[in-house]
Amino acid sequence: MDEHVVILIIALIVLFYGFISKKLAQFDISGPMVFTVLGLICSPFGLGITAVEVDAEFVTVLVEIALVLVLFSDAALLDLKLLRRSWHIPARLLFIGLPLTIIAGTAVAVWLFPDQPIIYMVLLALLLTPTDAALGKAVVSDLKVPNMIRSSINVESGLNDGIVFPIVLTVVALITSGLTKANDYSWIWYVAEQIVFGMLVGGIVGYLGAKLLNKAIEHNWIEESYQNLIPIALAILGFYLAEALLGNGFIAAFFAGLYIGNTSKQARAHIEEFAESEGELFILISFFLFGLAFVPLTLHDISVNVVIYALLSLTVLRMLPVMISLIGTNLDFASRVFIAWFGPRGIASILYVLIVAHNVGDIGGFDIVYAVVTLTILMSIFAHGFTAQPFSNLYGKSHRDRP
């Protein structure tokens, strides 16, 4: 593998897409679609221009940074005042919809792949539970969609991957160590530790960072150009600091962004600028690497059952739990369906597969898990990419008078 060739190809694709991006958007063709397809074309499965190992360190680091920046910027752009008024919807999605999705996903996986160990099927369900707002960008950025709906989808995608991540690590540890005893509840403490310390570290970094940033801006100590960079540096600091202090770095990045974005208007504006340029670049690179490394590696493992599970994961296994979790709210049926459909799978699932592949290695049955996750993400890139803007327009038009 020549990393310099990969970097050169990425630069050329950015130039190509940049020149025609607005034109492609008119046909609902998104950046992740273009970068994924071009990655596949450049792979050994296509023209064979270059190849990348899935577990290459630079691949993991790039995807990891992309997810940190997505979580941080999405959280920073949330309206905390609005969230306080409508917290019940994301809470239902996270604490009712998410567990139901994992349970349903595991049950269907056991049914479709009866020869696989149950714990592998639990892992499969976990890998496909986190959602990715970046794949349905129009949904969370289109002002025609009511604020409450956009905020709920954003909060869910921001927190579900951080909540699921420690559970994924726990299941991986059980697989690699052989500790599958039903009475071993140490994982509960581990998950709680990851969430609590992640929130604390993120909150502290966000609080101190916002204080220092506001003071520097107030006294005119800081160059305009660095106002874009400092919040992002705080996101990365929060991530690594939380990881070093037994917390979850992704949760820390989310809460750091949530605090900074809601206490500094200037920082919020600069974070938005960064997310629309440099942050977007990291996201697109991640999808290029997905097409280049992930898809070709799993094509030979795709079967009828793999396709069936991928389709169910994007529809019934996501939408039914969400619809159930929203029973009792004042949302109409169209709003529930809208929220339920926009649960795309993307960067978080890619990163989790990288981590699992690194820790688990070549174990029997993992090829099936790998193939299902890859195909589901691939389908999601196009299904949610093509529907994001049209569905947002349609839904926004019928709900334009709602807050």
Side-chain angles (χ1 to χ4, degrees):
M1 176 192 68
D2 190 343
E3 294 175 5
H4 295 288
V5 173
V6 175
I7 293 171
L8 175 60
I9 293 171
I10 290 172
L12 292 173
I13 294 174
V14 169
L15 283 174
F16 164 74
Y17 177 68
F19 285 129
I20 61 173
S21 55
K22 195 168 185 178
K23 192 68 178 176
L24 291 176
Q26 294 176 0
F27 301 97
D28 298 314
I29 298 175
S30 66
M33 290 185 207
V34 173
F35 276 71
T36 300
V37 169
L38 292 177
L40 186 57
I41 290 173
C42 293
S43 74
F45 179 78
L47 300 178
I49 297 173
T50 187
V52 172
E53 296 293 329
V54 168
D55 58 352
E57 186 176 354
F58 94 101
V59 174
T60 305
V61 171
L62 280 174
V63 175
E64 201 171 67
I65 291 175
L67 182 57
V68 167
L69 295 180
V70 167
L71 292 174
F72 178 84
S73 57
D74 284 351
L77 300 179
L78 284 175
D79 187 340
L80 204 53
K81 293 179 181 178
L82 175 65
L83 184 60
R84 288 195 188 103
R85 296 197 302 269
S86 56
W87 61 268
H88 59 286
I89 295 177
R92 283 170 171 266
L93 294 172
L94 291 169
F95 299 113
I96 300 176
L98 187 147
L100 287 177
T101 300
I102 296 171
I103 293 169
T106 302
V108 172
V110 171
W111 171 59
L112 286 174
F113 308 106
D115 296 333
Q116 303 300 319
I118 292 178
I119 195 166
Y120 292 3
M121 299 300 93
V122 173
L123 180 62
L124 172 59
L126 289 168
L127 293 174
L128 289 174
T129 299
T131 56
D132 182 2
L135 282 179
K137 190 176 179 181
V139 176
V140 294
S141 61
D142 195 331
L143 297 180
K144 292 190 293 292
V145 178
N147 284 340
M148 184 178 68
I149 302 299
R150 287 188 285 123
S151 177
S152 298
I153 293 173
N154 210 358
V155 171
E156 182 199 11
S157 67
L159 288 179
N160 59 13
D161 37 20
I163 292 172
V164 169
F165 184 63
I167 308 177
V168 169
L169 292 182
T170 304
V171 172
V172 170
L174 291 174
I175 292 173
T176 55
S177 65
L179 296 175
T180 56
K181 296 179 181 178
N183 60 352
D184 185 359
Y185 299 109
S186 59
W187 65 271
I188 297 176
W189 170 250
Y190 176 75
V191 171
E193 189 177 65
Q194 287 272 296
I195 294 172
V196 171
F197 281 101
M199 291 171 62
L200 285 174
V201 172
I204 292 170
V205 169
Y207 173 78
L208 295 177
K211 287 287 185 183
L212 290 172
L213 187 59
N214 288 337
K215 186 175 181 65
I217 292 172
E218 181 185 344
H219 291 84
N220 199 27
W221 292 344
I222 182 172
E223 291 281 356
E224 183 76 14
S225 59
Y226 282 92
Q227 292 186 35
N228 274 18
L229 301 178
I230 288 178
I232 308 308
L234 289 171
I236 296 173
L237 172 64
F239 173 81
Y240 285 108
L241 192 59
E243 292 289 313
L245 297 175
L246 306 178
N248 182 274
F250 299 109
I251 292 178
F254 183 86
F255 275 88
L258 192 65
Y259 194 93
I260 292 174
N262 283 274
T263 54
S264 174
K265 291 183 179 179
Q266 288 176 289
R268 183 188 180 100
H270 286 285
I271 291 170
E272 187 171 12
E273 289 177 12
F274 183 94
E276 290 178 355
S277 52
E278 292 90 343
E280 181 76 7
L281 177 61
F282 276 98
I283 293 170
L284 295 178
I285 290 174
S286 298
F287 285 107
F288 171 77
L289 294 172
F290 172 72
L292 182 67
F294 282 72
V295 179
L297 196 63
T298 57
L299 286 175
H300 64 280
D301 293 314
I302 293 176
S303 63
V304 173
N305 282 2
V306 168
V307 174
I308 291 173
Y309 190 94
L311 288 170
L312 290 175
S313 179
L314 293 176
T315 54
V316 178
L317 297 180
R318 154 71 185 182
M319 298 181 72
L320 187 58
V322 169
M323 297 290 283
I324 292 172
S325 72
L326 296 176
I327 292 175
T329 65
N330 59 358
L331 295 177
D332 59 15
F333 183 75
S335 297
R336 297 179 193 181
V337 172
F338 187 80
I339 294 173
W341 168 243
F342 284 107
R345 314 307 196 281
I347 294 175
S349 294
I350 295 172
L351 177 62
Y352 292 174
V353 168
L354 284 171
I355 293 169
V356 172
H358 177 74
N359 285 278
V360 176
D362 185 19
I363 61 172
F366 186 65
D367 288 345
I368 296 295
V369 174
Y370 201 82
V372 172
V373 173
T374 301
L375 183 61
T376 305
I377 296 170
L378 186 62
M379 288 181 173
S380 182
I381 289 170
F382 291 92
H384 292 101
F386 276 124
T387 60
Q389 193 61 63
F391 283 17
S392 294
N393 292 339
L394 184 63
Y395 176 74
K397 185 182 292 184
S398 62
H399 293 73
R400 64 179 58 181
D401 296 327
R402 302 197 178 189

